[in-house]
Amino acid sequence: TGFKGFTLAQNLASEEAVNERFAELKEKGVEIVKAPQKVFWGGYSGYVADCEQNLWEIAYNPFMQLDDAGNVLGHEPLG
C-alpha cells in the first residue's frame, strides 16, 4: 500500500553486498519493506523506505556488469 508509482534503485556487485547493505540500514533504523531474496528474473533484491516513504530497491543483477565505482559497464556515467 502507498506505492507512489516508481521505485528508486541501487545495484550492488553481489548478493553478499546486498545483505551487508541491508544489515547496515537495519542497524540505522531504516524501514525494511521487503527483505532481500532471490527474484523471478534471476537476481536478488529487497526494498527499504526512506523518510518520505519512497521505496528503494537494493539489488544484485547478475546480468549487469558494474565497474569499481558502481557504474554500469557499456554505458556512459551520468554527470
Side-chain angles (χ1 to χ4, degrees):
T1 62
F3 179 60
K4 295 182 177 184
F6 71 96
T7 301
L8 303 164
Q10 179 181 38
N11 287 289
L12 300 176
S14 67
E15 290 183 17
E16 294 88 15
V18 171
N19 290 334
E20 289 171 7
R21 182 64 42 89
F22 269 83
E24 292 168 5
L25 294 172
K26 182 178 181 179
E27 189 173 295
K28 292 179 180 184
V30 173
E31 178 185 352
I32 308 293
V33 176
K34 181 180 174 191
Q37 61 186 13
K38 292 191 182 284
V39 291
F40 72 93
W41 49 267
Y44 185 77
S45 74
Y47 291 86
V48 297
D50 65 20
C51 61
E52 295 178 347
Q53 295 301 299
N54 296 304
L55 295 180
W56 284 83
E57 178 185 30
I58 301 173
Y60 164 61
N61 181 343
F63 309 107
M64 181 183 297
Q65 293 184 331
L66 305 175
D67 67 15
D68 291 339
N71 298 307
V72 177
L73 293 174
H75 298 280
E76 293 296 319
L78 298 175

